[in-house]
Amino acid sequence: MSADLPLVLVLDDDDDTSTLLGMALRRRGFRVVVARSCEEGRARLAENPIDALVTDVSLPDGSGIELVASLAAKPRATIVVSGFGGDDDREKSRMAGAHAHLVKPVDVARLVSTLNEMLARPS
């Protein structure tokens, strides 16, 4: 796998969701690493230069939104995914520093187009 492809960290504790998103993103030209907790996500962010973070809100050891807010250096693209998509939910993501807020179940085509736009990649 080419190192020049963008690296996406998928942070979700649901095995089905993380597997689906990982496979879909790999098929569309991304490298993917998966983490299932805030602690594991922080470790992955420290190990590799991550281009994009796609994080669930509810994680076993904290909130994806709080994780995003705590990052001193955010990836070029940060997307929060949640089962809730009200104005308040979107505003919390934005205030934490996320670039986008998508509602579950995630529309993979929309996720990919959002990532491509944020990373200045052709669609």
Side-chain angles (χ1 to χ4, degrees):
M1 189 168 299
S2 176
D4 61 336
L5 296 176
L7 181 58
V8 179
L9 170 58
V10 173
L11 180 51
D12 198 307
D13 63 321
D14 182 82
D15 289 337
D16 292 338
T17 301
S18 58
T19 298
L20 171 74
L21 292 179
M23 286 185 340
L25 292 171
R26 284 182 190 100
R27 286 185 189 143
R28 288 162 178 87
F30 295 92
R31 293 178 297 142
V32 177
V33 293
V34 173
R36 292 188 167 76
S37 68
C38 291
E39 180 181 355
E40 192 179 348
R42 286 184 193 285
R44 298 294 169 268
L45 287 161
E47 292 169 0
N48 299 296
I50 302 292
D51 297 297
L53 168 62
V54 177
T55 183
D56 189 14
V57 171
S58 287
L59 297 164
D61 60 346
S63 162
I65 290 176
E66 291 172 3
L67 172 75
V68 169
S70 72
L71 296 176
K74 293 180 180 34
R76 294 186 310 165
T78 303
I79 300 172
V80 170
V81 295
S82 171
F84 302 98
D87 291 341
D88 288 348
D89 302 299
R90 294 176 189 281
E91 181 64 11
K92 285 177 189 173
S93 294
R94 189 187 69 72
M95 292 300 293
H99 302 107
H101 180 105
L102 301 179
V103 179
K104 287 183 172 185
V106 176
D107 177 334
V108 172
R110 183 167 181 209
L111 173 62
V112 169
S113 69
T114 301
L115 285 170
N116 284 337
E117 180 180 327
M118 290 179 184
L119 299 173
R121 295 181 70 203
S123 294

